[in-house]
């Protein structure tokens, strides 16, 4: 079982930036993703990245968030710019079970504990 640990959350004003990090303990040879869950809402997919750095984003974050990964060091990142209050959520990193596409929660076999992001003035 891969252990994932997120860091980098915090409180920021609207328009600000944060960079989330995800450290993995095992191999990184599968699709990884960032999810988020806002209060009283279902968890939603934010972005995914393949081992060859192909990325995909939710429409709500396109142009503002950038997902990246460092396979050599088992790290993944989420650069979040132009943050909005509606980005407030707990953000989770996750790693897919090998061979799964990463488009559904059931594709993911490992999850971090989450890091809180609050966007407020």
């Amino acid at each position: 079982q891969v252990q994932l640990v997120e860091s980098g959350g915090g409180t920021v004003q609207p328009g600000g930036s944060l960079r989330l990090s995800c450290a993995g303990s095992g191999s990184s040879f599968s699709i990884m993703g960032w999810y988020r869950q806002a209060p009283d809402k279902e968890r939603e997919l934010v972005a995914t990245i393949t081992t060859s750095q192909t990325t995909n984003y939710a429409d709500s974050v396109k142009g503002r968030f950038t997902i990246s990964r460092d396979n050599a060091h088992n790290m993944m990142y989420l650069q979040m710019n132009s943050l909005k209050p509606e980005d407030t959520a707990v953000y989770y990193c996750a790693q897919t079970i090998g061979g799964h596409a990463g488009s559904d929660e059931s594709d993911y076999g490992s999850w971090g504990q989450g890091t809180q992001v609050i966007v407020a003035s």
Side-chain angles (χ1 to χ4, degrees), residues 6-66:
E6 304 96 336
S7 61
T11 300
V12 64
Q13 291 186 341
S17 298
L18 281 174
R19 188 192 193 209
L20 304 183
S21 299
C22 173
S25 64
S27 68
S28 59
F29 299 109
S30 67
I31 293 171
M32 297 188 73
W34 286 98
Y35 273 79
R36 67 184 180 187
Q37 187 166 21
D40 300 322
K41 291 189 177 180
E42 293 190 356
R43 192 155 54 182
E44 64 172 349
L45 183 61
V46 175
T48 61
I49 186 166
T50 68
T51 53
S52 57
Q53 310 287 346
T54 299
T55 59
N56 192 38
Y57 298 92
D59 288 342
S60 58
V61 306
K62 278 181 183 176
R64 300 188 297 122
F65 289 13
T66 302

Side-chain angles (χ1 to χ4, degrees), residues 61-112:
V61 306
K62 278 181 183 176
R64 300 188 297 122
F65 289 13
T66 302
I67 188 172
S68 61
R69 66 190 291 174
D70 178 350
N71 292 330
H73 295 95
N74 291 346
M75 294 293 296
M76 181 176 66
Y77 305 96
L78 186 68
Q79 178 66 43
M80 305 186 294
N81 298 329
S82 302
L83 282 161
K84 305 175 181 179
E86 51 264 43
D87 294 319
T88 294
V90 177
Y91 284 71
Y92 300 90
C93 69
Q95 185 168 344
T96 60
I97 302 164
H100 286 65
S103 57
D104 188 83
E105 279 197 45
S106 62
D107 291 342
Y108 294 85
S110 299
W111 293 83

